[in-house]
Amino acid sequence: MRPLDPPGKPPLDPPGTIVCTVARSIAYRLAEQHQVVSALSSVVDLAENDESDLALDGIGQLIEYYRVPVLRTEYEQLVIAATQLDSMDALTDTGVDRFVIGDQPEG
């Protein structure tokens, strides 16, 4: 069940949309890392096929496995999606917060 939108704030995007947006953002930044981009496209496919829980789990595991740097804003979006899905363990079990680099990509 989707939580109510906070009063005085714009409506929240559905969790699948949020995960897609973050996956595409990371893929754009890491375009030269073809394995990571390929794995992220699988996450996008899951989210687009109404498998938001699996997509969130997948992006968390992918970030941990490939040690993907995550912008703070991307991480905050993933937390919103995880909260909506009541699935913060998808981020905490994989330690996604360890890979947050701030708001500017490295390089």
Side-chain angles (χ1 to χ4, degrees), residues 95-106:
V96 171
D97 60 330
R98 297 176 292 155
F99 304 101
V100 175
I101 60 171
D103 286 330
Q104 297 298 317
E106 293 179 339

Side-chain angles (χ1 to χ4, degrees), residues 82-98:
T83 302
Q84 288 181 31
L85 293 168
D86 193 25
S87 189
M88 275 302 293
D89 58 329
L91 303 179
T92 57
D93 288 355
T94 54
V96 171
D97 60 330
R98 297 176 292 155

Side-chain angles (χ1 to χ4, degrees), residues 11 13 15 19 22 27 30 57 75 79 105:
D13 285 330
V19 174
V22 172
L30 303 178
D57 287 340
Y75 178 71
V79 168

